Amino acid sequence: MSQVRLRSALENTPAYVPGKPAAPTPGVQTYKLSSNESHLPPLPQVAQAMVDAAVLPANYPDPGVTALTEQTAAHFGVSTDSVIFGAGASEILTAVFRLAADEDHNVVFPWPSFESYAQLAALSGTQARPVPLTADYRQDVDALAAAVDEDTRLLVLCSPNNPTGPTLHQDELDRLLAAVPDDLLVVLDEAYIEFANDPQTAAGPATLPAHKNLVVLRTFSKAHGLAGLRIGYALAAPEIIHELHKAIPPFSVSAVAQAAASASLAAQGEVEVRAKEVAALRDGLVDRLRQQGWPVPSAQGNFVWLPVHEDSDRIEAAFKAAGLAVRNLHDGVRISVGPEAAMDRVVEVASGLESKYRTAPGAPAATDGGIA
């Protein structure tokens, strides 16, 4: 702790650790598969929109993100006062914690899940109630509901769940929302939803009308490939959006980001085709890893999860030596989907690794309902 006077909550707040870049490896093409970034180039019209919007950098961007808000509201069939933008979905998530979390109450979220949930809970000084996933790395909706009490002020869900991969199913989301108080703020983080092909996956925007306490987070970082521009949004009841405007700084979404997101949303059909291409690479990687005996859970984002626990450091090192940067979260290793050549190398490296979590090659592969 610094010698200056700071909040005591910082003592228990972990710093966010970003994905590591690939280490230079002589004679080998390296790949960064540690940050769930898109490996595809931007759509031409999106790249042009970025160029056109960058001609007046001295001017502030539209603080109300007016045009894009209207476009997004029309896309989802909601009113403009049901939409808010921020510098990535992470800024909106931070704002949600500012609205709801304090030292006298608690926040419930699945675990393992997105690292920021635990970090934001710690920073706010609230009591964190992480709820373990099921044996097949899904969110345990009954346990999540049971963890909520009269002092809970926020429930956070993630679908597809980062880093493990499975989505929440619609019946699970409906059951959970019915089980918790209707004045409890519930966040459904759908950062990776465009990659999901599980037909039972919950649809956040379609669930909103029946649940005025629900906030759906979306982002242009993943399927739209605009992570470097930092732009995300939330859909919620106007009353919640009104309060979020108090917690999100003005001018946080740049003019370039607004223009690029608008062009990308207008090309939603093309974005969905690209998301399906990424999902096909992911599904192929899952199949090949399972054939080698790796217990890969249902993968619905642009990444796969190897739940190798205490073997994580050794397995990360093996990938690193082969020019592949993966994300070691210590409960396991997360591997982002990259170009086909990178996926081939992941499979090649994985084939030579030993772990007690890996069954013998040729053993029955896991299904999307669980792990082997």
Side-chain angles (χ1 to χ4, degrees):
M1 174 68 75
S2 169
Q3 295 304 307
V4 298
R5 300 174 188 176
L6 301 175
R7 293 180 58 232
S8 60
L10 289 170
E11 295 178 7
N12 299 313
T13 302
Y16 181 80
V17 180
K20 299 175 183 177
T25 306
V28 174
Q29 170 67 51
T30 60
Y31 297 98
K32 183 185 179 187
L33 307 176
S34 56
S35 293
N36 292 346
E37 297 160 330
S38 174
H39 68 279
L40 300 173
L43 292 168
Q45 62 268 45
V46 174
Q48 187 59 53
M50 293 166 61
V51 172
D52 294 343
V55 296
L56 292 173
N59 291 359
Y60 284 113
D62 172 12
V65 198
T66 308
L68 182 58
T69 297
E70 292 174 353
Q71 183 184 2
T72 304
H75 178 78
F76 286 101
V78 299
S79 61
T80 55
D81 57 0
S82 294
V83 183
I84 191 169
F85 279 85
S90 58
E91 181 176 57
I92 303 174
L93 181 66
T94 301
V96 170
F97 271 79
R98 288 175 180 159
L99 296 187
D102 60 37
E103 296 178 357
D104 298 324
H105 299 99
N106 67 71
V107 173
V108 174
F109 50 88
W111 199 256
S113 193
F114 183 36
E115 294 164 274
S116 285
Y117 305 155
Q119 181 189 34
L120 289 171
L123 187 60
S124 67
T126 196
Q127 179 191 356
R129 290 190 174 176
V131 175
L133 303 178
T134 64
D136 53 357
Y137 301 97
R138 300 181 56 78
Q139 290 161 91
D140 189 333
V141 296
D142 296 322
L144 286 163
V148 171
D149 63 19
E150 62 182 10
D151 291 326
T152 304
R153 290 296 179 268
L154 180 62
L155 169 62
V156 184
L157 309 169
C158 189
S159 180
N161 187 50
N162 172 24
T164 63
T167 56
L168 269 174
H169 291 169
Q170 188 66 53
D171 65 319
E172 294 174 322
L173 178 60
D174 292 341
R175 188 167 84 249
L176 181 53
L177 290 171
V180 302
D182 58 12
D183 62 352
L184 173 64
L185 192 61
V186 179
V187 171
L188 177 61
D189 184 347
E190 293 188 327
Y192 301 93
I193 198 68
E194 292 91 346
F195 302 110
N197 54 17
D198 181 345
Q200 299 182 74
T201 296
T207 308
L208 279 170
H211 298 280
K212 302 301 183 183
N213 57 326
L214 180 63
V215 178
V216 177
L217 295 184
R218 294 283 184 96
T219 185
F220 284 89
S221 292
K222 308 305 179 183
H224 290 267
L226 301 179
L229 296 184
R230 309 309 304 133
I231 180 164
Y233 58 99
L235 307 174
E239 296 80 5
I240 296 175
I241 298 298
H242 174 74
E243 301 302 328
L244 282 171
H245 275 294
K246 300 176 183 179
I248 297 177
F251 309 115
S252 68
V253 183
S254 72
V256 174
Q258 293 183 41
S262 178
S264 195
L265 185 58
Q268 183 68 25
E270 294 177 71
V271 171
E272 290 173 357
V273 168
R274 289 154 65 98
K276 287 182 173 63
E277 293 174 358
V278 171
L281 282 169
R282 174 202 68 207
D283 292 345
L285 177 61
V286 169
D287 288 344
R288 290 192 285 172
L289 290 173
R290 287 177 175 173
Q291 287 168 13
Q292 293 180 358
W294 294 102
V296 183
S298 174
Q300 294 294 307
N302 66 336
F303 53 86
V304 301
W305 176 244
L306 296 182
V308 291
H309 306 285
E310 68 272 15
D311 290 343
S312 295
D313 290 347
R314 178 173 56 82
I315 288 175
E316 178 197 20
F319 282 119
K320 180 179 179 180
L324 300 170
V326 297
R327 188 67 180 270
N328 179 6
L329 294 168
H330 304 294
D331 283 330
V333 171
R334 192 192 67 195
I335 305 170
S336 303
V337 174
E340 189 169 2
M343 301 297 90
D344 289 343
R345 194 181 304 166
V346 167
V347 172
E348 179 183 358
V349 173
S351 69
L353 294 175
E354 294 183 0
S355 171
K356 68 180 182 181
Y357 300 101
R358 178 186 176 189
T359 60
T367 67
D368 277 340
I371 60 172

